Amino acid sequence: MKVLVTGAAGFIGGHLAGHLVARGHEVLGLDSLHPAAHPAAPRHLPRELDLRVGDVRDQRLLDELLDGVDAVFHEAAMVGLGLDVTELPAYASANTLGTATLLAAMARRGVPRLILASSVVVYGEGSYDCSEHGRVRPGARDVGDLSRGVFEPRCPRCEEALRPAPIDEDAALEPRNGYAASKVAQEHLAGVWARETGGTAVALRYHNVYGPHMPRDTPYAGVVATFRDALTAGRAPRVYEDGAQMRDFVHVYDVAAANLCALDGGAEGRLTPYNIASGEPHTVADVARALAAATGGPAPLITGAFRLGDARHIVASPARATHDLGFRPTVGFHEGMRDFIATLGPRDDDLPLGITD
């Protein structure tokens, strides 16, 4: 199969390209090599990847690249929290306009399948259970509560504290920052493309992805990389709030495998979303402690600081992806964290992509 991977030089895109090449696919890559994401040219990409440097908003280039392509994996995006409203035009241009331009080109070229890199951030706050009112979705947390160190969201009906519960793909989308809003827009645009063309669109809502070749010292670095960078510099990782925030940390090898599973998933004429998660949630403090133990570094510092755009708890089950796509996570939390630390070093960019069957 001939496929195009946008963002192919990125963290997830590079691993995905490696998996696709290993499975015998003809892989084209597109990446702008933006300096915010790539301070240095990536050296770990598979030799068989035909990588073109360019922008996903370049219609002429897309028309050339998409000729004869059977499927597109759309990984290219501007990432980060997007808390500053002055950044909204940048997110709208890179993510929303970029996706619209890609979809229009796919329609012109008759490409029938899209696998879209979406994100857990589309949900906003997660799903919760109230002891009196059952399953609820709370609103944004109160700034006064956060300032006083009261971090748990309250029931919107009785104001009592809530217990986190897995969120499913049918939950309402409630983006709470610029990046999240752009990911929701990408999903909606992909749904329109699927309905209008009869194509198949699958949205993979990645949870917290980590693993080898994770970005360092860039806006594209996640919390795992931030903790790692602190520890390798001999500093204690600084943890927001009280560290009890629940997340699902899924290894990049499993995320790449999920994309391959999605090549045969979905349904014609509509977009189908899937949570891509390990199914084993952990607290942010758990991650900091696991990395500190693996490096022999200092214990985490719980700061009590907070950011208004952050969700308190957001966990999900990959059950739908397992049932529909055959996706089964294989890398456990402690194994993944140990291996992540073990891959660090001055020649991280030269490490293999870890292609597995």
Side-chain angles (χ1 to χ4, degrees):
M1 186 178 290
K2 184 178 181 180
V3 302
L4 172 68
V5 179
T6 71
F11 169 44
I12 298 174
H15 281 281
L16 172 57
H19 278 67
L20 288 163
V21 166
R23 299 295 172 88
H25 297 290
E26 179 184 352
V27 186
L28 297 175
L30 173 64
D31 201 294
S32 68
L33 296 183
H34 194 287
H38 302 282
R43 301 194 301 268
H44 60 274
L45 300 175
R47 292 187 301 273
E48 299 88 345
L49 171 65
D50 182 2
L51 179 66
R52 311 291 180 88
V53 178
D55 196 296
V56 75
R57 291 163 291 190
D58 185 336
Q59 298 184 44
R60 187 173 301 174
L61 176 59
L62 289 174
D63 281 340
E64 174 190 338
L65 290 177
L66 290 170
D67 187 30
V69 163
D70 301 297
V72 172
F73 295 86
H74 185 29
E75 300 289 331
M78 177 181 175
V79 304
L81 284 178
L83 299 179
D84 187 338
V85 294
T86 63
E87 296 178 316
L88 290 177
Y91 281 100
S93 179
N95 299 351
T96 309
L97 176 60
T99 300
T101 305
L102 173 64
L103 293 170
M106 289 174 64
R108 287 193 299 271
R109 288 299 190 182
V111 180
R113 178 171 290 273
L114 171 73
I115 296 92
L116 171 68
S118 187
S119 170
V120 62
V121 299
V122 300
Y123 296 119
E125 194 64 60
S127 181
Y128 295 82
D129 287 331
C130 172
S131 57
E132 182 176 351
H133 297 106
R135 187 63 49 89
V136 296
R137 293 287 300 280
R141 291 182 289 172
D142 180 74
V143 177
D145 281 346
L146 294 171
S147 299
R148 291 190 298 273
V150 179
F151 300 119
E152 296 297 336
R154 301 176 184 272
C155 175
R157 298 176 63 183
C158 68
E159 294 292 309
E160 291 299 313
L162 300 169
R163 300 183 306 277
I167 198 163
D168 66 31
E169 291 88 347
D170 296 327
L173 304 186
E174 298 179 359
R176 297 189 177 180
N177 56 58
Y179 171 61
S182 72
K183 299 308 285 185
V184 171
Q186 284 184 317
E187 288 198 17
H188 288 324
L189 289 168
V192 171
W193 168 84
R195 287 191 297 274
E196 293 292 328
T197 66
T200 301
V202 174
L204 302 182
R205 293 174 179 167
Y206 302 154
H207 285 244
N208 292 64
V209 186
Y210 72 99
H213 307 300
M214 200 171 186
R216 302 183 184 195
D217 302 319
T218 81
Y220 292 71
V223 66
V224 178
T226 301
F227 290 163
R228 170 203 59 192
D229 292 344
L231 287 162
T232 54
R235 303 189 307 270
R238 298 176 61 85
V239 181
Y240 282 101
E241 301 185 16
D242 59 0
Q245 310 94 300
M246 297 290 291
R247 298 289 189 274
D248 188 299
F249 296 89
V250 59
H251 200 279
V252 68
Y253 295 173
D254 286 330
V255 170
N259 275 270
L260 267 68
C261 291
L263 262 178
D264 297 318
E268 292 182 2
R270 64 185 179 90
L271 176 134
T272 309
Y274 293 99
N275 286 319
I276 302 303
S278 73
E280 298 179 2
H282 291 269
T283 69
V284 173
D286 285 342
V287 174
R289 285 190 288 264
L291 293 175
T295 59
L301 176 63
I302 308 299
T303 66
F306 62 89
R307 298 179 298 191
L308 289 179
D310 285 353
R312 175 60 175 174
H313 304 295
I314 180 73
V315 299
S317 166
R320 178 182 290 183
T322 298
H323 179 271
D324 290 2
L325 306 178
F327 166 64
R328 288 177 174 80
T330 60
V331 182
F333 176 77
H334 293 288
E335 172 197 356
M337 291 293 163
R338 286 193 303 269
D339 288 350
F340 176 55
I341 290 297
T343 62
L344 298 183
R347 294 179 60 80
D348 176 58
D349 281 344
D350 294 331
L351 291 169
L353 287 167
I355 307 304
T356 63
D357 289 329

